[in-house]
PDB file of all heavy atoms in Angstrom:
ATOM      1  N   ALA A 253      -2.389  33.965  12.557  1.00  0.00           N
ATOM      2  CA  ALA A 253      -2.139  33.050  11.442  1.00  0.00           C
ATOM      3  C   ALA A 253      -2.830  33.534  10.178  1.00  0.00           C
ATOM      4  O   ALA A 253      -2.250  33.519   9.081  1.00  0.00           O
ATOM      5  CB  ALA A 253      -2.610  31.643  11.808  1.00  0.00           C
ATOM      6  N   LEU A 254      -4.081  33.986  10.304  1.00  0.00           N
ATOM      7  CA  LEU A 254      -4.829  34.461   9.145  1.00  0.00           C
ATOM      8  C   LEU A 254      -4.210  35.726   8.577  1.00  0.00           C
ATOM      9  O   LEU A 254      -4.078  35.875   7.352  1.00  0.00           O
ATOM     10  CB  LEU A 254      -6.288  34.707   9.535  1.00  0.00           C
ATOM     11  CG  LEU A 254      -7.244  35.106   8.408  1.00  0.00           C
ATOM     12  CD1 LEU A 254      -7.283  34.028   7.332  1.00  0.00           C
ATOM     13  CD2 LEU A 254      -8.645  35.336   8.974  1.00  0.00           C
ATOM     14  N   LEU A 255      -3.801  36.651   9.436  1.00  0.00           N
ATOM     15  CA  LEU A 255      -3.173  37.884   8.969  1.00  0.00           C
ATOM     16  C   LEU A 255      -1.835  37.596   8.288  1.00  0.00           C
ATOM     17  O   LEU A 255      -1.537  38.158   7.227  1.00  0.00           O
ATOM     18  CB  LEU A 255      -2.975  38.838  10.154  1.00  0.00           C
ATOM     19  CG  LEU A 255      -2.316  40.184   9.838  1.00  0.00           C
ATOM     20  CD1 LEU A 255      -3.127  40.955   8.822  1.00  0.00           C
ATOM     21  CD2 LEU A 255      -2.127  41.003  11.117  1.00  0.00           C
ATOM     22  N   SER A 256      -1.023  36.732   8.886  1.00  0.00           N
ATOM     23  CA  SER A 256       0.262  36.363   8.277  1.00  0.00           C
ATOM     24  C   SER A 256       0.043  35.723   6.920  1.00  0.00           C
ATOM     25  O   SER A 256       0.780  35.992   5.959  1.00  0.00           O
ATOM     26  CB  SER A 256       1.012  35.389   9.188  1.00  0.00           C
ATOM     27  OG  SER A 256       1.246  35.952  10.451  1.00  0.00           O
ATOM     28  N   SER A 257      -0.979  34.876   6.828  1.00  0.00           N
ATOM     29  CA  SER A 257      -1.310  34.220   5.566  1.00  0.00           C
ATOM     30  C   SER A 257      -1.658  35.250   4.496  1.00  0.00           C
ATOM     31  O   SER A 257      -1.161  35.185   3.365  1.00  0.00           O
ATOM     32  CB  SER A 257      -2.480  33.257   5.777  1.00  0.00           C
ATOM     33  OG  SER A 257      -2.972  32.775   4.564  1.00  0.00           O
ATOM     34  N   GLY A 258      -2.506  36.218   4.841  1.00  0.00           N
ATOM     35  CA  GLY A 258      -2.947  37.201   3.858  1.00  0.00           C
ATOM     36  C   GLY A 258      -1.838  38.120   3.393  1.00  0.00           C
ATOM     37  O   GLY A 258      -1.677  38.370   2.190  1.00  0.00           O
ATOM     38  N   ILE A 259      -1.047  38.636   4.330  1.00  0.00           N
ATOM     39  CA  ILE A 259      -0.008  39.606   3.962  1.00  0.00           C
ATOM     40  C   ILE A 259       1.114  38.947   3.166  1.00  0.00           C
ATOM     41  O   ILE A 259       1.547  39.461   2.131  1.00  0.00           O
ATOM     42  CB  ILE A 259       0.553  40.279   5.230  1.00  0.00           C
ATOM     43  CG1 ILE A 259      -0.493  41.214   5.825  1.00  0.00           C
ATOM     44  CG2 ILE A 259       1.828  41.052   4.911  1.00  0.00           C
ATOM     45  CD1 ILE A 259      -0.058  41.922   7.086  1.00  0.00           C
ATOM     46  N   SER A 260       1.599  37.802   3.638  1.00  0.00           N
ATOM     47  CA  SER A 260       2.710  37.148   2.936  1.00  0.00           C
ATOM     48  C   SER A 260       2.292  36.678   1.551  1.00  0.00           C
ATOM     49  O   SER A 260       3.034  36.834   0.573  1.00  0.00           O
ATOM     50  CB  SER A 260       3.233  35.968   3.757  1.00  0.00           C
ATOM     51  OG  SER A 260       2.210  35.026   4.012  1.00  0.00           O
ATOM     52  N   SER A 261       1.093  36.110   1.426  1.00  0.00           N
ATOM     53  CA  SER A 261       0.651  35.619   0.117  1.00  0.00           C
ATOM     54  C   SER A 261       0.308  36.760  -0.832  1.00  0.00           C
ATOM     55  O   SER A 261       0.410  36.604  -2.054  1.00  0.00           O
ATOM     56  CB  SER A 261      -0.559  34.692   0.277  1.00  0.00           C
ATOM     57  OG  SER A 261      -1.640  35.362   0.891  1.00  0.00           O
ATOM     58  N   SER A 262      -0.085  37.932  -0.307  1.00  0.00           N
ATOM     59  CA  SER A 262      -0.371  39.051  -1.196  1.00  0.00           C
ATOM     60  C   SER A 262       0.899  39.567  -1.858  1.00  0.00           C
ATOM     61  O   SER A 262       0.887  39.970  -3.028  1.00  0.00           O
ATOM     62  CB  SER A 262      -1.059  40.182  -0.426  1.00  0.00           C
ATOM     63  OG  SER A 262      -0.193  40.756   0.536  1.00  0.00           O
ATOM     64  N   GLY A 263       2.023  39.533  -1.125  1.00  0.00           N
ATOM     65  CA  GLY A 263       3.295  39.903  -1.733  1.00  0.00           C
ATOM     66  C   GLY A 263       3.697  38.935  -2.830  1.00  0.00           C
ATOM     67  O   GLY A 263       4.151  39.334  -3.915  1.00  0.00           O
ATOM     68  N   VAL A 264       3.512  37.647  -2.565  1.00  0.00           N
ATOM     69  CA  VAL A 264       3.824  36.626  -3.567  1.00  0.00           C
ATOM     70  C   VAL A 264       2.908  36.774  -4.781  1.00  0.00           C
ATOM     71  O   VAL A 264       3.341  36.625  -5.929  1.00  0.00           O
ATOM     72  CB  VAL A 264       3.683  35.221  -2.947  1.00  0.00           C
ATOM     73  CG1 VAL A 264       3.781  34.140  -4.020  1.00  0.00           C
ATOM     74  CG2 VAL A 264       4.752  34.997  -1.887  1.00  0.00           C
ATOM     75  N   GLY A 265       1.629  37.087  -4.540  1.00  0.00           N
ATOM     76  CA  GLY A 265       0.688  37.267  -5.641  1.00  0.00           C
ATOM     77  C   GLY A 265       1.053  38.432  -6.530  1.00  0.00           C
ATOM     78  O   GLY A 265       0.945  38.351  -7.768  1.00  0.00           O
ATOM     79  N   THR A 266       1.488  39.535  -5.940  1.00  0.00           N
ATOM     80  CA  THR A 266       1.906  40.693  -6.729  1.00  0.00           C
ATOM     81  C   THR A 266       3.112  40.350  -7.586  1.00  0.00           C
ATOM     82  O   THR A 266       3.193  40.719  -8.764  1.00  0.00           O
ATOM     83  CB  THR A 266       2.249  41.872  -5.807  1.00  0.00           C
ATOM     84  OG1 THR A 266       1.098  42.220  -5.043  1.00  0.00           O
ATOM     85  CG2 THR A 266       2.669  43.090  -6.608  1.00  0.00           C
ATOM     86  N   LEU A 267       4.062  39.634  -7.009  1.00  0.00           N
ATOM     87  CA  LEU A 267       5.249  39.221  -7.748  1.00  0.00           C
ATOM     88  C   LEU A 267       4.875  38.299  -8.909  1.00  0.00           C
ATOM     89  O   LEU A 267       5.403  38.427 -10.022  1.00  0.00           O
ATOM     90  CB  LEU A 267       6.211  38.508  -6.798  1.00  0.00           C
ATOM     91  CG  LEU A 267       7.644  38.289  -7.270  1.00  0.00           C
ATOM     92  CD1 LEU A 267       8.301  39.600  -7.620  1.00  0.00           C
ATOM     93  CD2 LEU A 267       8.433  37.571  -6.189  1.00  0.00           C
ATOM     94  N   ALA A 268       3.943  37.382  -8.669  1.00  0.00           N
ATOM     95  CA  ALA A 268       3.495  36.475  -9.732  1.00  0.00           C
ATOM     96  C   ALA A 268       2.800  37.244 -10.851  1.00  0.00           C
ATOM     97  O   ALA A 268       2.979  36.933 -12.036  1.00  0.00           O
ATOM     98  CB  ALA A 268       2.551  35.424  -9.156  1.00  0.00           C
ATOM     99  N   GLY A 269       2.007  38.244 -10.494  1.00  0.00           N
ATOM    100  CA  GLY A 269       1.343  39.055 -11.507  1.00  0.00           C
ATOM    101  C   GLY A 269       2.333  39.765 -12.411  1.00  0.00           C
ATOM    102  O   GLY A 269       2.118  39.876 -13.625  1.00  0.00           O
ATOM    103  N   ASP A 270       3.433  40.233 -11.837  1.00  0.00           N
ATOM    104  CA  ASP A 270       4.469  40.886 -12.633  1.00  0.00           C
ATOM    105  C   ASP A 270       5.121  39.905 -13.594  1.00  0.00           C
ATOM    106  O   ASP A 270       5.393  40.226 -14.757  1.00  0.00           O
ATOM    107  CB  ASP A 270       5.511  41.505 -11.697  1.00  0.00           C
ATOM    108  CG  ASP A 270       6.594  42.252 -12.454  1.00  0.00           C
ATOM    109  OD1 ASP A 270       6.256  43.188 -13.206  1.00  0.00           O
ATOM    110  OD2 ASP A 270       7.784  41.909 -12.299  1.00  0.00           O
ATOM    111  N   VAL A 271       5.372  38.669 -13.113  1.00  0.00           N
ATOM    112  CA  VAL A 271       5.969  37.634 -13.970  1.00  0.00           C
ATOM    113  C   VAL A 271       5.029  37.288 -15.120  1.00  0.00           C
ATOM    114  O   VAL A 271       5.466  37.124 -16.272  1.00  0.00           O
ATOM    115  CB  VAL A 271       6.287  36.375 -13.137  1.00  0.00           C
ATOM    116  CG1 VAL A 271       6.668  35.200 -14.039  1.00  0.00           C
ATOM    117  CG2 VAL A 271       7.410  36.662 -12.151  1.00  0.00           C
ATOM    118  N   VAL A 272       3.733  37.189 -14.845  1.00  0.00           N
ATOM    119  CA  VAL A 272       2.747  36.861 -15.877  1.00  0.00           C
ATOM    120  C   VAL A 272       2.698  37.935 -16.955  1.00  0.00           C
ATOM    121  O   VAL A 272       2.753  37.640 -18.156  1.00  0.00           O
ATOM    122  CB  VAL A 272       1.358  36.680 -15.229  1.00  0.00           C
ATOM    123  CG1 VAL A 272       0.255  36.713 -16.284  1.00  0.00           C
ATOM    124  CG2 VAL A 272       1.299  35.366 -14.462  1.00  0.00           C
ATOM    125  N   LEU A 273       2.602  39.194 -16.538  1.00  0.00           N
ATOM    126  CA  LEU A 273       2.491  40.284 -17.507  1.00  0.00           C
ATOM    127  C   LEU A 273       3.771  40.436 -18.312  1.00  0.00           C
ATOM    128  O   LEU A 273       3.736  40.590 -19.542  1.00  0.00           O
ATOM    129  CB  LEU A 273       2.166  41.588 -16.778  1.00  0.00           C
ATOM    130  CG  LEU A 273       1.866  42.796 -17.658  1.00  0.00           C
ATOM    131  CD1 LEU A 273       0.611  42.551 -18.484  1.00  0.00           C
ATOM    132  CD2 LEU A 273       1.699  44.053 -16.814  1.00  0.00           C
ATOM    133  N   ARG A 274       4.899  40.386 -17.645  1.00  0.00           N
ATOM    134  CA  ARG A 274       6.175  40.556 -18.328  1.00  0.00           C
ATOM    135  C   ARG A 274       6.462  39.378 -19.254  1.00  0.00           C
ATOM    136  O   ARG A 274       7.040  39.553 -20.337  1.00  0.00           O
ATOM    137  CB  ARG A 274       7.287  40.694 -17.279  1.00  0.00           C
ATOM    138  CG  ARG A 274       8.669  40.938 -17.824  1.00  0.00           C
ATOM    139  CD  ARG A 274       9.549  41.618 -16.798  1.00  0.00           C
ATOM    140  NE  ARG A 274       9.309  41.095 -15.454  1.00  0.00           N
ATOM    141  CZ  ARG A 274      10.086  40.202 -14.856  1.00  0.00           C
ATOM    142  NH1 ARG A 274      11.120  39.696 -15.497  1.00  0.00           N
ATOM    143  NH2 ARG A 274       9.827  39.804 -13.625  1.00  0.00           N
ATOM    144  N   GLY A 275       6.058  38.173 -18.840  1.00  0.00           N
ATOM    145  CA  GLY A 275       6.348  36.998 -19.653  1.00  0.00           C
ATOM    146  C   GLY A 275       5.461  36.875 -20.867  1.00  0.00           C
ATOM    147  O   GLY A 275       5.946  36.709 -21.994  1.00  0.00           O
ATOM    148  N   PHE A 276       4.142  36.979 -20.683  1.00  0.00           N
ATOM    149  CA  PHE A 276       3.217  36.798 -21.798  1.00  0.00           C
ATOM    150  C   PHE A 276       3.223  37.975 -22.769  1.00  0.00           C
ATOM    151  O   PHE A 276       3.115  37.786 -23.983  1.00  0.00           O
ATOM    152  CB  PHE A 276       1.790  36.596 -21.273  1.00  0.00           C
ATOM    153  CG  PHE A 276       1.523  35.209 -20.756  1.00  0.00           C
ATOM    154  CD1 PHE A 276       1.262  34.991 -19.410  1.00  0.00           C
ATOM    155  CD2 PHE A 276       1.537  34.114 -21.607  1.00  0.00           C
ATOM    156  CE1 PHE A 276       1.007  33.720 -18.919  1.00  0.00           C
ATOM    157  CE2 PHE A 276       1.291  32.830 -21.133  1.00  0.00           C
ATOM    158  CZ  PHE A 276       1.030  32.637 -19.789  1.00  0.00           C
ATOM    159  N   LEU A 277       3.341  39.193 -22.262  1.00  0.00           N
ATOM    160  CA  LEU A 277       3.201  40.383 -23.110  1.00  0.00           C
ATOM    161  C   LEU A 277       4.483  41.191 -23.269  1.00  0.00           C
ATOM    162  O   LEU A 277       4.491  42.180 -24.005  1.00  0.00           O
ATOM    163  CB  LEU A 277       2.109  41.300 -22.539  1.00  0.00           C
ATOM    164  CG  LEU A 277       0.708  40.696 -22.404  1.00  0.00           C
ATOM    165  CD1 LEU A 277      -0.275  41.765 -21.946  1.00  0.00           C
ATOM    166  CD2 LEU A 277       0.241  40.067 -23.709  1.00  0.00           C
ATOM    167  N   ALA A 278       5.548  40.794 -22.592  1.00  0.00           N
ATOM    168  CA  ALA A 278       6.813  41.537 -22.651  1.00  0.00           C
ATOM    169  C   ALA A 278       6.620  42.984 -22.218  1.00  0.00           C
ATOM    170  O   ALA A 278       7.228  43.906 -22.757  1.00  0.00           O
ATOM    171  CB  ALA A 278       7.409  41.479 -24.066  1.00  0.00           C
ATOM    172  N   ARG A 279       5.756  43.181 -21.223  1.00  0.00           N
ATOM    173  CA  ARG A 279       5.505  44.523 -20.701  1.00  0.00           C
ATOM    174  C   ARG A 279       5.650  44.518 -19.188  1.00  0.00           C
ATOM    175  O   ARG A 279       5.380  43.526 -18.540  1.00  0.00           O
ATOM    176  CB  ARG A 279       4.089  45.007 -21.063  1.00  0.00           C
ATOM    177  CG  ARG A 279       3.878  45.162 -22.563  1.00  0.00           C
ATOM    178  CD  ARG A 279       2.451  45.582 -22.837  1.00  0.00           C
ATOM    179  NE  ARG A 279       2.190  45.680 -24.269  1.00  0.00           N
ATOM    180  CZ  ARG A 279       0.996  45.925 -24.798  1.00  0.00           C
ATOM    181  NH1 ARG A 279      -0.047  46.084 -23.995  1.00  0.00           N
ATOM    182  NH2 ARG A 279       0.857  46.001 -26.094  1.00  0.00           N
ATOM    183  N   ARG A 280       6.054  45.664 -18.679  1.00  0.00           N
ATOM    184  CA  ARG A 280       6.163  45.817 -17.230  1.00  0.00           C
ATOM    185  C   ARG A 280       5.307  46.995 -16.798  1.00  0.00           C
ATOM    186  O   ARG A 280       5.353  48.059 -17.398  1.00  0.00           O
ATOM    187  CB  ARG A 280       7.612  46.044 -16.799  1.00  0.00           C
ATOM    188  CG  ARG A 280       8.529  44.885 -17.124  1.00  0.00           C
ATOM    189  CD  ARG A 280       9.786  44.924 -16.307  1.00  0.00           C
ATOM    190  NE  ARG A 280       9.530  44.623 -14.902  1.00  0.00           N
ATOM    191  CZ  ARG A 280      10.480  44.296 -14.036  1.00  0.00           C
ATOM    192  NH1 ARG A 280      11.727  44.227 -14.419  1.00  0.00           N
ATOM    193  NH2 ARG A 280      10.181  44.034 -12.787  1.00  0.00           N
ATOM    194  N   VAL A 281       4.523  46.766 -15.772  1.00  0.00           N
ATOM    195  CA  VAL A 281       3.703  47.819 -15.186  1.00  0.00           C
ATOM    196  C   VAL A 281       4.258  48.083 -13.796  1.00  0.00           C
ATOM    197  O   VAL A 281       4.592  47.133 -13.072  1.00  0.00           O
ATOM    198  CB  VAL A 281       2.223  47.367 -15.096  1.00  0.00           C
ATOM    199  CG1 VAL A 281       1.394  48.410 -14.351  1.00  0.00           C
ATOM    200  CG2 VAL A 281       1.664  47.158 -16.499  1.00  0.00           C
ATOM    201  N   PRO A 282       4.417  49.357 -13.410  1.00  0.00           N
ATOM    202  CA  PRO A 282       4.903  49.636 -12.049  1.00  0.00           C
ATOM    203  C   PRO A 282       4.123  48.837 -11.016  1.00  0.00           C
ATOM    204  O   PRO A 282       2.891  48.768 -11.062  1.00  0.00           O
ATOM    205  CB  PRO A 282       4.657  51.142 -11.900  1.00  0.00           C
ATOM    206  CG  PRO A 282       4.726  51.665 -13.303  1.00  0.00           C
ATOM    207  CD  PRO A 282       4.138  50.582 -14.159  1.00  0.00           C
ATOM    208  N   VAL A 283       4.850  48.200 -10.101  1.00  0.00           N
ATOM    209  CA  VAL A 283       4.220  47.292  -9.167  1.00  0.00           C
ATOM    210  C   VAL A 283       3.160  47.996  -8.321  1.00  0.00           C
ATOM    211  O   VAL A 283       2.141  47.406  -7.958  1.00  0.00           O
ATOM    212  CB  VAL A 283       5.294  46.627  -8.270  1.00  0.00           C
ATOM    213  CG1 VAL A 283       5.931  47.631  -7.347  1.00  0.00           C
ATOM    214  CG2 VAL A 283       4.716  45.465  -7.496  1.00  0.00           C
ATOM    215  N   HIS A 284       3.358  49.284  -8.036  1.00  0.00           N
ATOM    216  CA  HIS A 284       2.375  50.032  -7.258  1.00  0.00           C
ATOM    217  C   HIS A 284       1.069  50.174  -8.025  1.00  0.00           C
ATOM    218  O   HIS A 284      -0.022  50.039  -7.458  1.00  0.00           O
ATOM    219  CB  HIS A 284       2.926  51.409  -6.887  1.00  0.00           C
ATOM    220  CG  HIS A 284       4.190  51.360  -6.098  1.00  0.00           C
ATOM    221  ND1 HIS A 284       5.415  51.154  -6.695  1.00  0.00           N
ATOM    222  CD2 HIS A 284       4.423  51.456  -4.760  1.00  0.00           C
ATOM    223  CE1 HIS A 284       6.356  51.147  -5.762  1.00  0.00           C
ATOM    224  NE2 HIS A 284       5.785  51.326  -4.583  1.00  0.00           N
ATOM    225  N   LEU A 285       1.181  50.443  -9.344  1.00  0.00           N
ATOM    226  CA  LEU A 285      -0.017  50.570 -10.165  1.00  0.00           C
ATOM    227  C   LEU A 285      -0.736  49.239 -10.287  1.00  0.00           C
ATOM    228  O   LEU A 285      -1.969  49.165 -10.206  1.00  0.00           O
ATOM    229  CB  LEU A 285       0.356  51.107 -11.553  1.00  0.00           C
ATOM    230  CG  LEU A 285      -0.787  51.235 -12.567  1.00  0.00           C
ATOM    231  CD1 LEU A 285      -1.859  52.183 -12.047  1.00  0.00           C
ATOM    232  CD2 LEU A 285      -0.258  51.718 -13.915  1.00  0.00           C
ATOM    233  N   ARG A 286       0.029  48.181 -10.482  1.00  0.00           N
ATOM    234  CA  ARG A 286      -0.588  46.860 -10.609  1.00  0.00           C
ATOM    235  C   ARG A 286      -1.304  46.467  -9.317  1.00  0.00           C
ATOM    236  O   ARG A 286      -2.393  45.912  -9.344  1.00  0.00           O
ATOM    237  CB  ARG A 286       0.468  45.808 -10.960  1.00  0.00           C
ATOM    238  CG  ARG A 286      -0.147  44.426 -11.143  1.00  0.00           C
ATOM    239  CD  ARG A 286       0.819  43.407 -11.638  1.00  0.00           C
ATOM    240  NE  ARG A 286       0.089  42.157 -11.822  1.00  0.00           N
ATOM    241  CZ  ARG A 286      -0.529  41.803 -12.925  1.00  0.00           C
ATOM    242  NH1 ARG A 286      -0.506  42.613 -13.980  1.00  0.00           N
ATOM    243  NH2 ARG A 286      -1.185  40.666 -13.014  1.00  0.00           N
ATOM    244  N   ARG A 287      -0.693  46.764  -8.188  1.00  0.00           N
ATOM    245  CA  ARG A 287      -1.330  46.447  -6.919  1.00  0.00           C
ATOM    246  C   ARG A 287      -2.631  47.232  -6.738  1.00  0.00           C
ATOM    247  O   ARG A 287      -3.629  46.713  -6.244  1.00  0.00           O
ATOM    248  CB  ARG A 287      -0.352  46.747  -5.784  1.00  0.00           C
ATOM    249  CG  ARG A 287      -0.904  46.556  -4.389  1.00  0.00           C
ATOM    250  CD  ARG A 287      -1.651  45.258  -4.253  1.00  0.00           C
ATOM    251  NE  ARG A 287      -0.839  44.137  -3.922  1.00  0.00           N
ATOM    252  CZ  ARG A 287      -1.191  42.891  -4.127  1.00  0.00           C
ATOM    253  NH1 ARG A 287      -2.350  42.618  -4.702  1.00  0.00           N
ATOM    254  NH2 ARG A 287      -0.408  41.899  -3.806  1.00  0.00           N
ATOM    255  N   LEU A 288      -2.641  48.478  -7.203  1.00  0.00           N
ATOM    256  CA  LEU A 288      -3.852  49.295  -7.113  1.00  0.00           C
ATOM    257  C   LEU A 288      -4.986  48.685  -7.927  1.00  0.00           C
ATOM    258  O   LEU A 288      -6.141  48.643  -7.495  1.00  0.00           O
ATOM    259  CB  LEU A 288      -3.566  50.715  -7.597  1.00  0.00           C
ATOM    260  CG  LEU A 288      -4.737  51.706  -7.563  1.00  0.00           C
ATOM    261  CD1 LEU A 288      -5.196  51.922  -6.131  1.00  0.00           C
ATOM    262  CD2 LEU A 288      -4.342  53.034  -8.212  1.00  0.00           C
ATOM    263  N   VAL A 289      -4.645  48.176  -9.119  1.00  0.00           N
ATOM    264  CA  VAL A 289      -5.660  47.588 -10.001  1.00  0.00           C
ATOM    265  C   VAL A 289      -6.181  46.274  -9.425  1.00  0.00           C
ATOM    266  O   VAL A 289      -7.394  46.035  -9.364  1.00  0.00           O
ATOM    267  CB  VAL A 289      -5.084  47.368 -11.416  1.00  0.00           C
ATOM    268  CG1 VAL A 289      -6.059  46.577 -12.277  1.00  0.00           C
ATOM    269  CG2 VAL A 289      -4.776  48.703 -12.074  1.00  0.00           C
ATOM    270  N   THR A 290      -5.276  45.407  -8.973  1.00  0.00           N
ATOM    271  CA  THR A 290      -5.690  44.079  -8.526  1.00  0.00           C
ATOM    272  C   THR A 290      -6.400  44.101  -7.173  1.00  0.00           C
ATOM    273  O   THR A 290      -7.151  43.171  -6.860  1.00  0.00           O
ATOM    274  CB  THR A 290      -4.479  43.130  -8.436  1.00  0.00           C
ATOM    275  OG1 THR A 290      -3.484  43.710  -7.579  1.00  0.00           O
ATOM    276  CG2 THR A 290      -3.870  42.905  -9.810  1.00  0.00           C
ATOM    277  N   MET A 291      -6.189  45.149  -6.381  1.00  0.00           N
ATOM    278  CA  MET A 291      -6.857  45.212  -5.095  1.00  0.00           C
ATOM    279  C   MET A 291      -8.273  45.764  -5.203  1.00  0.00           C
ATOM    280  O   MET A 291      -9.061  45.628  -4.273  1.00  0.00           O
ATOM    281  CB  MET A 291      -6.059  46.055  -4.105  1.00  0.00           C
ATOM    282  CG  MET A 291      -6.038  47.538  -4.411  1.00  0.00           C
ATOM    283  SD  MET A 291      -5.043  48.494  -3.223  1.00  0.00           S
ATOM    284  CE  MET A 291      -6.157  48.560  -1.832  1.00  0.00           C
ATOM    285  N   THR A 292      -8.608  46.378  -6.348  1.00  0.00           N
ATOM    286  CA  THR A 292      -9.922  47.015  -6.505  1.00  0.00           C
ATOM    287  C   THR A 292     -11.083  46.050  -6.298  1.00  0.00           C
ATOM    288  O   THR A 292     -12.027  46.354  -5.564  1.00  0.00           O
ATOM    289  CB  THR A 292     -10.022  47.697  -7.882  1.00  0.00           C
ATOM    290  OG1 THR A 292      -8.984  48.685  -7.983  1.00  0.00           O
ATOM    291  CG2 THR A 292     -11.376  48.377  -8.055  1.00  0.00           C
ATOM    292  N   PRO A 293     -11.102  44.853  -6.949  1.00  0.00           N
ATOM    293  CA  PRO A 293     -12.225  43.927  -6.708  1.00  0.00           C
ATOM    294  C   PRO A 293     -12.366  43.533  -5.245  1.00  0.00           C
ATOM    295  O   PRO A 293     -13.491  43.436  -4.733  1.00  0.00           O
ATOM    296  CB  PRO A 293     -11.869  42.706  -7.586  1.00  0.00           C
ATOM    297  CG  PRO A 293     -10.965  43.243  -8.634  1.00  0.00           C
ATOM    298  CD  PRO A 293     -10.174  44.314  -7.961  1.00  0.00           C
ATOM    299  N   ALA A 294     -11.250  43.325  -4.552  1.00  0.00           N
ATOM    300  CA  ALA A 294     -11.314  42.945  -3.145  1.00  0.00           C
ATOM    301  C   ALA A 294     -11.883  44.078  -2.296  1.00  0.00           C
ATOM    302  O   ALA A 294     -12.712  43.853  -1.405  1.00  0.00           O
ATOM    303  CB  ALA A 294      -9.920  42.562  -2.644  1.00  0.00           C
TER     304      ALA A 294
END
């Protein structure tokens, strides 16, 4: 249950990050690069 929670929500989180960046700044960052940046603190 914990693993399913983490993996499924991480995909949703990446998608939300793309919507935020594209919406507020009208910019798109490759999803692979964005995932690399956002996973660094974790």
Side-chain angles (χ1 to χ4, degrees):
L254 185 59
L255 180 59
S256 301
S257 170
I259 289 179
S260 58
S261 60
S262 66
V264 171
T266 300
L267 194 58
D270 182 58
V271 170
V272 165
L273 186 64
R274 183 156 39 100
F276 282 114
L277 301 185
R279 296 178 183 174
R280 298 199 70 164
V281 174
V283 68
H284 301 80
L285 177 60
R286 182 173 182 89
R287 176 46 87 200
L288 180 63
V289 172
T290 56
M291 70 181 283
T292 301

